[in-house]
């Protein structure tokens, strides 16, 4: 995620970070060059190319805008829902750290059930991170999980769920040993179910892209439209055509490319969500609630980007 | 569901899988041919056909775009809601597998209530699949259900619900035999209610299409509009008309056809949801939670399509 | 609700059922006739009528489209919410049938509390139907309600709620006679509250139409606009005007009329919701759960329409 | 709220009630007069005024439509949310009347806790009404509240909440005197929290208008646009200009004025919500549940308007 | 937030407060000046500058409008969600004040657990305020928190959460000392979780702006478009160009600037939310519920603005 103060007017035109201008530059250059060629032909070799009226293209352009807006909206909502899910994750981790105090009793030594539960939760956040960004390092998961749970984690077809199952066992044991009663078990279990919901929702967003047919149809129409634009603008705009078609192409390709980035909110693009930082926040706050003193610093953006 | 990496620019124009281009090809060819005929007449027999101005058609086209966008939006939201429902299903199955551990006691042999409950749940997922896709094979349902329950399943007017009723009986028996207390019964019953909600929501989406009047009105207007297009474009675009009208028809018919596919998210089209794969995931994860070792492999897409 | 397979291309233009074309036919004929008259005057008595440019009308038309889309969206969401509410109703009825098993005890004879509760629920569905469609027959309500409850039902200002109050009494009695404990009472009462919510939500949709001002404003603008269309199209379209204006009028009036139908999802129109069939489903499934054998057949569409 | 059957075609143009046409009439007359003056000048003093092309205005008009639609949508959603909140209110009042039966015991005389609770709830509905419509009469609040509670009500900074606090005291007393157990206390308290939510949600809608900047920007642009319209239409429409500009102004000003009415759903306009009638419904149904016989009649619309 | 009666027609054009006209004035002057220069050149030095047709720009303008509307919608929804969250906060504070009565017992002196809990909640509201508006004074936090809790608050990486942890301790102590049972503990803890949710939701909105790429793309396109407008309007509007381009620029820049303000609903702009006032309301109502008499006055808008 790009984190930076709102730029001033002139800066606005020279910011590269977070802009998708670099990614679509080849296309813009192609459109501008094509425009130049066509205007040259119209000017120096009139008659070589037929002249077109802009009307039909305007209709196509407005139609295209309406559907691009539809797709952008869908992508943005996925992105925002993904952010809500991780906000829910941070909230649940806090509630678990707070409420699990009922698990404590006076005679606990360091390996209290509460500590096991909360350290498993730190590992769970990291495990989810690995599921969403497979290149993420796994050493924290090993560090925070008890040996037996880590073994289960490694061999499971659904590693994150394996951690939750271990956390459930901690709760059931506490229930059976009368450390907590059924009501308190219910309260803590509800938090585990919310943690499980975070995983299920993330999976849904990661594994179910916008229907491929839409992407295909919109890409094709947008590209064809932008490559046709010079033919219908050259007529009325003359040598200004390359500039105006490049501007139009920037808008259409740019929104299309942004939609692509937001469609995958857990990827590593500049506009992706800072889920790595959020997992670190969960670690920091959980350790603080446990009374630990070796608390890592809060994550900071690097080069305006927080991952 | 189409599962494939985002294609590159040139690939983009030659992908067939997941595109609806094949399905609307006859229409595109018809529109292009009609355009060619009309341009020919305008060129070689001027006066045979009246010439029209594009203005009124542009108005019709924009109106049509706005309402097509409305319908596409409604269809996409149905599709996405269906995906959410099945995500909820997977989540509930996991929670049931996790939480049902409270049902276990030391003296259980293989046919513990937990095992009956969870195997019924695997069968429930398959039963829902059969309800949504009647051609689906039923052998797993037979395999996982106790004989008596399978009998009830086969004779019920609502087979899936019959399985849930059997699961409820397992819980009530556990309650009456003091294996669980009322609170724990409540927690487990809430999961059953969520399972029932999955069925009710799927039924709602499957049995209640977008009001037929909309489909009819939009189809009729879109077809008539695209068949009129050549008359108003031929005027200004000349021999480019067949290409541009085909492009416009591709956009309008394509979005219409995509809307049709998404309207039925449980059907067998390429853009339908992979509910078969999700039911398999439920089976795999439930068996793992039960400690079984004969776990089937995770489903993989075939020819870029996951069903 | 129209229930039929998606029609093929040619069928599409000749389907009457579910189309709103019959209802707006007089308007279409009027618009087409008006167009013919105006074109005749332009052709044979040039100068009698002033000629108008289409520009200002295009602006009006697009504005009108945007607001018609807004109203259609609002109407569709009411319709879909109504469907969700009845889906929730079916779900709650199933959950009540399933969960009420905890009410049963070994010494029950036929008039067990569970049977009273569930038969009241069947009557509740029919009572809601009568509230939403006053012409509906009431005999089932009498058949399923105990005499005393039917008396209360008949004299209440809120008949459906009177049934729910009777159901609550069954639960409270079961609680006081220790048939169920407080937790189970809570679980069953939550289902009653959901049943009450169904009624309140249906009332909201039935009694609160889209603000009358919108309907008025959009109707007036749409009618005036369509009656002006011939004046500005005649200019450029000549003898094609009657056809094109009728097509435009079909789109505008058609969407307006469809919005009207969806605005009242409980009415008796062809696009209304099949709430009668859903109430029957509740009866059938509840009777099956009670172990009754005289189960009526599932409702089927008549002439492609399910009410 | 306007309550009337859908009008027929001709009626449509002559209905005043619920239309905003009277409120914007001065503006329409101004626009039509301005148009007449401008057309006269163009006709009789050509050259006095420059002629403009409509193109730039069409762009402005479409932009304006898009943003008016955005604001109307926001206003409509506020209005509909307000209706949902009061629907929730009616539902909670019913549930409270139903569930509070558990408070009753055989030895109760008339001033049972249940009666106090429910009569407080009637007063609560009236108190909320006074908060939303300060001119509403307060006599019912005095009539239904016990003297001590009415005293607290009058002196509180949040009078409605003071009533809820009194209701909570009734519940806590019932809990401490073992009339209900903790579970039942929880169930009844949840209903109180829902009542409190109704107040908080109503406050939010009443106290937080659409951001003032939007209202200002849209009003200014809409007015300026409509006053400029004659200049660009006069060119092409001649003496039809006054009529067409008045029609366009009717659409733009009308939607703007309707948005204003819906923005304040608790005000006293013709399109406001009938919250007075709903509060009466709560009184009637609560009294019926208490077994009272002096039940007031259901509210009826006066002159097609239900307040 | 701007709090003022709806202005009359003439006032409308002269209100500055809450309008964003001052902030975009330099841009408007620039656009108007540019227009004047261009029209002068066209008039006095024809041929120096090429003339452009407006068609291509209209297409760009409509596309831009559609995407501006998309961004405004997203910003408005953030703003409205933020308001809902604080409404939920006020509601939860009231519920906590009401329900915490169960904590009281006859032998309590002033430092009852209920008082500690509620005063911590007042401090929590202030702490959240400081988190969202770092320049806010902190003296109230110190005043209401017990010394030990304030110490924890000051040294925590998540100060607001530290207060909630202290409140949880109060509840757990009350549970362990049998002042409340598990059910009542559950009820009160749910309110703490809702308080925590307020913080998490506010953090989400504050820390996650609309993706920077959108802001950049829309700003760039809007600016470039408005600077190009004079070139294509000058042609047809002549000396009216400066006025009309300034009006168009006012609409586009104004909506863009308003979107910016709403994107940060907790900032200090005139259209930001009055969270300071809402935190004061929480203090006032909590003190009243505690029976305190030194209640501060309700917050009032200063110069039409409530912060």
């Amino acid at each position: 995620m790009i984190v930076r103060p709102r730029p001033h007017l002139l800066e606005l035109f020279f910011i590269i970070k977070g802009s998708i201008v670099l990614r679509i530059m080849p296309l813009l250059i192609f459109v501008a060059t094509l425009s130049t060629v066509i205007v040259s032909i119209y000017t120096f070799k009139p008659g070589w190319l037929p002249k077109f009226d802009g009307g039909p293209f305007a209709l196509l352009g407005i139609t295209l805008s309406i559907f691009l807006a539809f797709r952008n909206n869908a992508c943005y909502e996925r992105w925002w829902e993904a952010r809500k899910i991780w906000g829910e994750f941070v909230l649940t981790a806090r509630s678990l750290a707070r409420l699990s105090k009922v698990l404590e009793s006076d005679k606990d030594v360091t390996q209290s059930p509460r500590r096991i539960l909360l350290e498993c939760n730190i590992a769970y956040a990291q495990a989810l991170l690995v599921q969403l960004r497979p290149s993420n390092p796994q050493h924290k998961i090993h560090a925070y999980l008890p040996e037996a749970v880590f073994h289960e984690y490694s061999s499971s077809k659904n590693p994150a769920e394996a951690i939750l199952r271990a956390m459930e066992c901690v709760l059931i044991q506490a229930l059976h040993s009368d450390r907590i009663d059924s009501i308190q078990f219910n309260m803590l279990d509800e938090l585990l179910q919310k943690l499980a919901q975070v995983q299920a929702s993330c999976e849904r967003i990661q594994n179910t892209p916008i229907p491929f047919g839409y992407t295909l149809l919109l890409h094709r129409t947008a590209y064809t439209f932008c490559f046709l634009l010079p033919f219908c603008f050259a007529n009325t705009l003359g040598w200004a055509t390359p500039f105006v078609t490049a501007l139009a192409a920037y808008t259409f390709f740019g929104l299309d490319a942004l939609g692509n980035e937001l469609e995958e909110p857990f990827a590593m693009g500049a506009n992706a969500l800072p889920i790595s930082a959020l997992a670190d926040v969960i670690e920091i706050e959980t350790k603080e609630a446990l009374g630990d003193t070796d608390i890592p610093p809060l994550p900071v953006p690097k080069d305006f980007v927080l991952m």
Side-chain angles (χ1 to χ4, degrees), chain A residues 44 70 88 151 175 214 217 230 247 251 280 284:
Chain A
F44 302 117
F70 157 63
E88 196 69 24
H151 182 74
L175 171 71
Y214 275 116
L217 183 66
L247 180 64
T251 312
D280 286 353
I284 292 167

Side-chain angles (χ1 to χ4, degrees), chain A residues 146-172:
Chain A
E147 200 53 44
V149 179
F150 184 72
H151 182 74
E152 260 187 80
Y153 166 81
S154 312
S155 63
S156 174
K157 297 227 171 188
N158 184 347
E161 174 68 16
I163 301 180
L164 284 186
R165 279 202 297 260
M167 291 165 80
E168 187 87 48
C169 283
V170 173
L171 293 187
I172 290 181

Side-chain angles (χ1 to χ4, degrees), chain A residues 188-236:
Chain A
L188 288 164
D189 178 72
E190 264 171 18
L191 296 177
L192 290 203
Q193 289 197 31
K194 278 186 191 162
L195 291 179
Q197 188 164 28
V198 169
Q199 187 198 5
S201 304
C202 287
E203 275 173 5
R204 167 166 52 80
I205 289 180
Q206 197 183 30
N207 296 342
T208 316
I210 302 273
F212 189 63
Y214 275 116
T215 308
L216 216 51
L217 183 66
L218 282 176
H219 278 23
R220 282 178 184 168
T221 313
Y223 283 108
T224 314
F225 176 73
C226 284
F227 297 157
L228 287 177
L229 267 188
F231 292 90
C232 76
F233 278 11
N235 225 358
T236 55

Side-chain angles (χ1 to χ4, degrees), chain A residues 216-295:
Chain A
L216 216 51
L217 183 66
L218 282 176
H219 278 23
R220 282 178 184 168
T221 313
Y223 283 108
T224 314
F225 176 73
C226 284
F227 297 157
L228 287 177
L229 267 188
F231 292 90
C232 76
F233 278 11
N235 225 358
T236 55
L237 294 178
W239 290 106
T241 306
F243 180 68
V244 177
T245 50
L247 180 64
Y250 173 59
T251 312
F252 283 108
F253 291 149
L255 284 162
D256 191 53
L258 263 172
N260 281 357
E261 282 210 3
L262 295 197
E263 195 185 342
E264 301 179 338
F266 304 125
M268 300 293 287
N271 288 305
L273 290 172
I275 56 175
S276 228
L278 288 171
D280 286 353
V281 164
I282 287 174
E283 184 188 5
I284 292 167
E285 296 190 1
T286 304
K287 284 180 81 66
E288 188 184 301
L290 276 170
D292 289 359
T293 49
D294 56 332
I295 297 176

Side-chain angles (χ1 to χ4, degrees), chain A residues 13 15-16 19-33 246 249-250 253-254 257:
Chain A
F13 287 90
I15 286 176
I16 298 296
S19 171
I20 34 60
V21 81
L22 282 191
R23 279 178 46 186
I24 60 174
M25 191 54 87
L27 286 164
L28 300 188
I29 291 173
F30 179 80
V31 168
T33 312
Y250 173 59
F253 291 149

